[in-house]
Amino acid sequence: KTSKVQYYNNPMWPGEAHSLKVEKILYQGKSPYQEILVFESSTYGNVLVLDGIVQLTDKDECAYQEMVTHLPLCSIPSPKNVLVVGGGDGGVLREIARHDSVETIDICEIDQLVIDVCKEFFPNLSMGFKDPRVRLHVGDAVDFLRNSTEGKYDAIVVDSSDPIGPAQALVEKPFIQTIARALKPGGVLCNLAESMWLHTHLIQDMLSICHQTFKGGVHYAWTSVPTYPSGVIGFLLCAKEGQPVNFLTPVNPIEKIQGATKAGKELRFYNSEEKPKESVSKSQKIQILLNN
Ligand code: AAT
């Protein structure tokens, strides 16, 4: 029997819904923080849903994880200490691990059950936890950053849920200020910033907080993720003053990092070009996406 999992009547996107055909429910459970559902879909592979909201699918996760990671990490010369907020699936860890300059990867995820469930049903993402540079901290990122050493990180990636429930505080000014404190001069933040089609007010609020907090520059970027509401998701790229940071041209291009994109672990979405220049590389990229 097949059925549909729908998410609608969500105040974050009133009046619209997206549905995926369910082949099989693989897991259903409840942690102290959220309801967790994993199902096998007929066209997007396995799907992780938290509190009724799709967080990732096997098919399109690359467009999110690669962009949220390489946009910040490729814009600084040699990232060494990196922090991931949220990201319990491990996908962002997998992407950070491509950078051989990186020495430590801290991750602060609030929900141990998300980590355990992803280890079972999303091996291509949770493989990120196997990197020896990873140090897992299970807890609220608000407390973690409050207690973090000043000037510790070269880059921080906020890969957290929508700002309702446990992630609400993560878009507010006090939290953004603790992130800035934890970064080195010239360090960078990539923060999830919702959809430009649905959340212009939220984005504007976040932009103004980030402009007040980060004097080294703030940019909005976005990518296409068909299973997220409205099909796009945005990021706020912010630089702490102290070293010039140019988010528009990668100073640390991923293609030049040895082994970062070697056979068997090619990138599926991100590249350093503003847009693909040669039709060959473009069609290859589309092919890889289709094969997935
Ligand atoms: N890469 C998958 C995408 C996610 S997962 C977001 C993760 O953030 C979840 O595992 C959740 O448990 C964790 N999280 C939420 N709040 C906190 C917190 N306060 N501290 C630490 N971790 C937290 C995001 C997809 C975005 C969906 C867009 N619609």
Side-chain angles (χ1 to χ4, degrees):
K1 185 175 169 280
T2 59
S3 59
K4 278 192 267 174
V5 166
Q6 288 187 318
Y7 55 105
Y8 55 91
N9 277 345
N10 186 309
M12 294 276 300
W13 36 90
E16 56 185 275
H18 179 231
S19 54
L20 291 170
K21 188 173 173 197
V22 177
E23 290 298 335
K24 198 174 163 198
I25 303 278
L26 299 173
Y27 177 86
Q28 249 175 324
K30 199 168 171 9
S31 77
Y33 303 100
Q34 50 212 344
E35 274 173 27
I36 305 178
L37 164 73
V38 180
F39 68 88
E40 183 195 326
S41 67
S42 57
T43 48
Y44 280 79
N46 289 355
V47 181
L48 173 70
V49 185
L50 300 178
D51 282 342
I53 301 174
V54 171
Q55 304 291 312
L56 61 91
T57 81
D58 280 328
K59 179 171 168 164
D60 63 6
E61 54 91 4
C62 60
Y64 174 79
Q65 327 273 8
E66 292 180 15
M67 291 289 272
V68 78
T69 307
H70 303 306
L71 287 175
L73 264 62
C74 294
S75 54
I76 49 176
S78 180
K80 289 192 176 57
N81 301 318
V82 183
L83 169 66
V84 181
V85 169
D89 51 86
V92 171
L93 301 175
R94 177 194 72 200
E95 293 306 317
I96 295 171
R98 293 182 193 270
H99 290 258
D100 56 14
S101 65
V102 169
E103 291 164 5
T104 62
I105 313 174
D106 283 331
I107 171 168
C108 179
E109 160 64 56
I110 204 167
D111 198 338
Q112 179 70 49
L113 192 57
V114 170
I115 300 171
D116 296 341
V117 167
C118 290
K119 283 193 173 159
E120 188 168 352
F121 297 107
F122 297 92
N124 291 332
L125 290 108
S126 57
M127 64 184 269
F129 281 102
K130 291 190 183 144
D131 191 282
R133 295 166 291 181
V134 171
R135 295 188 301 214
L136 171 63
H137 311 264
V138 177
D140 190 334
V142 173
D143 302 328
F144 183 85
L145 272 145
R146 213 183 275 138
N147 300 320
S148 159
T149 316
E150 196 172 334
K152 181 171 182 187
Y153 296 106
D154 301 274
I156 298 178
V157 175
V158 179
D159 175 22
S160 70
S161 341
D162 294 298
I164 27 176
Q168 170 67 48
L170 307 187
V171 295
E172 289 166 3
K173 193 168 182 180
F175 180 73
I176 302 292
Q177 284 172 328
T178 59
I179 289 205
R181 201 180 59 93
L183 283 170
K184 288 182 192 161
V188 291
L189 159 69
C190 185
N191 201 354
L192 194 71
E194 302 301 332
S195 162
M196 59 185 143
W197 294 107
L198 299 168
H199 309 115
T200 41
H201 292 295
L202 179 68
I203 296 169
Q204 254 155 12
D205 291 348
M206 287 178 77
L207 264 170
S208 92
I209 292 171
C210 289
H211 273 298
Q212 289 159 21
T213 316
F214 291 92
K215 301 296 179 196
V218 177
H219 279 267
Y220 188 76
W222 60 273
T223 185
S224 142
V225 181
T227 55
Y228 283 169
S230 87
V232 303
I233 188 98
F235 311 108
L236 271 172
L237 287 160
C238 310
K240 183 163 166 173
E241 64 194 330
Q243 302 280 333
V245 176
N246 176 359
F247 286 117
L248 303 178
T249 319
V251 290
N252 176 28
I254 191 89
E255 295 84 359
K256 296 224 169 100
I257 301 172
Q258 195 164 11
T261 60
K262 68 178 182 223
K265 31 179 265 194
E266 293 92 348
L267 287 163
R268 290 191 286 145
F269 188 87
Y270 173 89
N271 68 27
S272 293
E273 305 292 333
E274 257 176 78
K275 51 183 180 292
K277 277 196 183 124
E278 309 141 43
S279 57
V280 180
S281 65
K282 192 176 172 187
S283 67
Q284 269 172 355
K285 193 140 281 192
I286 291 167
Q287 196 106 43
I288 294 167
L289 275 170
L290 289 176
N291 285 343
N292 188 256

